[in-house]
């Protein structure tokens, strides 16, 4: 069996690792260059993502990811001013268990060992399902590639989905979130100690700020030497502990830079929090457009399928859903490749499970699209 994956994001690379580990011929075509564009700085990984990474990655890769995550997340603290000082005054009802992964490092780990099967600067444009049962993919440079299965892992603007499920529309909810990160060394020392491994939320004068701290459980360079010496990427040496933060924005303000806008909003909060935004890495401050894909009725299974944001978007946990899809599709394709089931039945079974578990709850606004 040969599988083409479109998109070297979280879902596509997790799937490629899983298929390759099972001895299946897989190739990944990625629109961006090898350094790519920033895909966010940190990722909250829950049980779904952890299970997928353990199942799809070689043990050394999984060991590297787990060694360099932040500590297990506890509660979500409510921060407020008490006698002029920022203090934890309670906890939110909703806990989100999991650990923080540094996204550039996770991506570098996912790419390690796939260098010979990932083709960069290769924007996919269309596919053709051929009479002999194979699928041919076409790329912007005029090249083509042919396989038994084509997987669209090409994110919320998916070109594979546009052709495969042309009736599906991504709806802009009008909501926006500014997100950024600040090196821990630049933050008032009391704040990281106050937050610990918890999440935190602060509110004031109509502004809400969510925060968390990523302290690498093991520094990435020695962890790499122990687990994955083949990992040669700047993400290992550049990594340092940081505070990540998010500020919902009522509406877009054309012309206002993302970091400037974040600083204006944080000025409504305690000065300690204002300083967190002031001292952030400006280039890493991004505005996200919050979109949703309305749940859709089932479609017939074919040799073209979709994973991750290409087919469902989810606020703050879309990466976990993408990795879970990759895990489940890997299992289905391996089962079919070994003769355990018919290929279309395997893909149909994967899609039924994905619709059942990932479309649930999408009647509320969901998802995040970078680049507002
Ligand atoms: C700032 C930020 C913070 C987030 N935090 C979290 C979090 O804490 N936890 C969580 O679970 N989720 C989080 N998410 C959501 C998560 O990032 C996404 O749900 C996840 O990246 C989806 O993975 P994916 O593989 O489906 O798509 P993506 O990661 O978007 O990857 C798609 C890939 O396809 C490529 N591509 C696109 N079009 C083409 C084409 N035509 N041809 C070839 N390649 C193409 C893209 O360049 C990209 O590399 C966050 C998102 C952002 C932006």
């Amino acid at each position: 069996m040969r599988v083409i994956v479109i998109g070297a994001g979280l879902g596509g690379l997790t799937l490629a690792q899983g298929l390759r580990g099972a001895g299946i011929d897989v190739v990944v075509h990625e629109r961006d260059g090898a350094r790519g564009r920033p895909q966010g700085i940190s990722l909250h990984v829950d049980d779904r993502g952890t299970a997928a990474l353990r199942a799809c990655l070689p043990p050394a890769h999984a060991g590297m990811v787990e060694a360099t995550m932040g500590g297990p997340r506890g509660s979500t603290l409510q921060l407020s001013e008490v006698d002029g000082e920022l203090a934890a005054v309670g906890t939110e009802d909703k806990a989100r268990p999991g650990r923080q992964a540094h996204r550039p490092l996770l991506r570098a780990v996912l790419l390690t060992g796939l260098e010979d099967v990932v083709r960069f600067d290769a924007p996919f444009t269309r596919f053709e399902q051929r009479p002999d049962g194979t699928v041919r993919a076409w790329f912007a440079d005029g090249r083509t590639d042919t396989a038994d299965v084509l997987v669209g892992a090409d994110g919320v603007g998916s070109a594979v989905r546009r052709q495969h499920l042309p009736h599906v529309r991504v709806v802009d909810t009008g909501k926006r979130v500014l997100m950024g990160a600040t090196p821990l060394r630049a933050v008032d020392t009391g704040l990281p100690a106050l937050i610990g491994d918890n999440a935190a939320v602060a509110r004031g004068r109509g502004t809400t700020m969510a925060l968390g701290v990523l302290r690498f459980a093991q520094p990435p360079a020695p962890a790499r030497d122990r687990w994955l010496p083949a990992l040669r990427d700047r993400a290992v040496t550049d990594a340092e502990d940081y505070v990540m933060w998010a500020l919902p924005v009522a509406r877009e303000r054309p012309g206002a830079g993302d970091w400037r806008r974040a600083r204006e909003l944080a000025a409504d909060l305690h000065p300690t929090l204002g300083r967190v935004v002031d001292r952030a890495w400006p280039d890493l401050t991004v505005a996200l457009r919050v979109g949703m894909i309305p749940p859709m009725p089932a479609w017939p299974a074919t040799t073209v399928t979709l994973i991750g944001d290409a087919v469902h978007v989810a606020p703050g946990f879309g990466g976990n859903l993408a990795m879970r899809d990759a895990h489940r599709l890997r299992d289905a394709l391996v089962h079919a490749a070994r003769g355990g089931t018919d290929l279309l039945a395997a893909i149909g079974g994967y899609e039924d499970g994905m619709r059942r578990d990932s479309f649930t709850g999408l009647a509320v606004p969901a998802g995040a699209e970078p680049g507002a």
Side-chain angles (χ1 to χ4, degrees):
M1 180 188 292
R2 182 162 203 268
V3 179
I4 294 175
V5 178
I6 305 297
L10 286 174
L13 292 175
T14 304
L15 176 63
Q17 286 281 3
L19 291 174
R20 190 162 222 209
I24 291 182
D25 183 11
V26 59
V27 60
V28 183
H29 296 271
E30 165 58 41
R31 174 189 61 193
D32 292 344
R35 292 241 48 97
R37 64 192 84 186
Q39 299 188 334
I41 185 157
S42 92
L43 188 84
H44 182 79
V45 181
D46 61 25
D47 286 351
R48 297 168 290 194
T50 305
L53 291 170
R54 283 184 187 156
C56 292
L57 298 189
H61 289 59
M64 178 68 195
V65 173
E66 295 197 26
T68 51
M69 280 181 167
R73 175 148 292 178
S75 357
T76 301
L77 307 176
Q78 291 167 341
L79 303 184
S80 195
E81 188 173 313
V82 177
D83 298 331
E85 297 296 320
L86 198 61
V89 294
T91 55
E92 303 271 304
D93 290 341
K94 265 195 197 161
R96 288 189 62 209
R99 296 173 67 189
Q100 292 298 131
H102 183 49
R103 209 163 162 149
L105 187 58
L106 175 60
R107 181 173 158 85
V109 171
L110 288 172
L111 278 165
T112 301
L114 295 179
E115 295 82 357
D116 56 329
V117 296
V118 179
R119 186 163 79 96
F120 292 102
D121 295 309
F124 160 90
T125 51
R126 68 183 172 91
F127 66 80
E128 175 195 355
Q129 287 175 294
R130 293 151 52 91
D132 65 359
T134 59
V135 190
R136 176 161 291 174
W138 297 78
F139 299 89
D141 58 6
R143 288 161 77 166
T144 62
D145 195 2
T146 305
D148 302 295
V149 180
L150 175 76
V151 181
D154 47 346
V156 68
S158 174
V160 178
R161 183 195 64 234
R162 273 204 304 276
Q163 182 178 348
H164 189 44
L165 304 175
H167 52 287
V168 174
R169 294 276 173 273
V170 179
V171 180
D172 184 350
T173 64
K175 299 191 176 189
R176 306 287 180 263
V177 184
L178 291 165
M179 298 185 84
T182 310
L184 210 55
R185 60 183 152 76
V187 171
D188 300 6
T189 47
L191 183 68
L194 180 64
I195 298 178
D197 288 326
N198 300 298
V201 62
R203 297 186 178 85
R205 286 195 278 167
T207 297
T208 301
M209 183 176 188
L211 300 113
V213 178
L214 189 132
R215 287 183 198 81
F216 292 98
Q218 289 178 33
R224 182 264 316 273
D225 295 344
R226 172 170 178 212
W227 288 101
L228 201 56
L231 172 58
R232 295 274 151 223
D233 192 281
R234 241 176 39 199
V236 175
T237 40
D238 287 358
E240 62 172 303
D241 296 348
Y242 56 88
V243 176
M244 55 269 177
W245 46 265
L247 292 154
V249 200
R251 74 174 78 89
E252 268 170 283
R253 293 226 319 218
D258 297 336
W259 181 49
R260 224 187 82 210
R261 177 86 180 104
R263 293 174 79 193
E264 284 170 16
L265 286 168
D268 287 344
L269 300 165
H270 189 277
T272 298
L273 300 175
R275 282 194 292 276
V276 169
V277 177
D278 277 351
R279 295 170 185 176
W281 286 297
D283 296 350
L284 296 183
T285 307
V286 291
L288 307 178
R289 225 177 275 153
V290 181
M292 64 171 280
I293 296 181
M296 61 198 98
W299 57 89
T302 75
T303 48
V304 175
T305 190
L306 297 158
I307 65 172
D309 279 13
V311 65
H312 47 68
V313 282
F317 55 91
N320 287 282
L321 300 189
M323 292 187 282
R324 181 176 67 184
D325 286 351
H327 178 187
R328 290 178 171 180
L329 182 58
R330 191 278 311 248
D331 286 354
L333 294 178
V334 170
H335 194 48
R338 292 183 181 157
T341 184
D342 166 71
L343 179 59
L344 291 187
I347 292 173
Y350 152 74
E351 289 180 343
D352 283 343
M354 182 265 293
R355 280 186 291 261
R356 182 189 64 231
D357 296 336
S358 299
F359 283 2
T360 313
L362 289 188
V364 295
E369 184 181 357

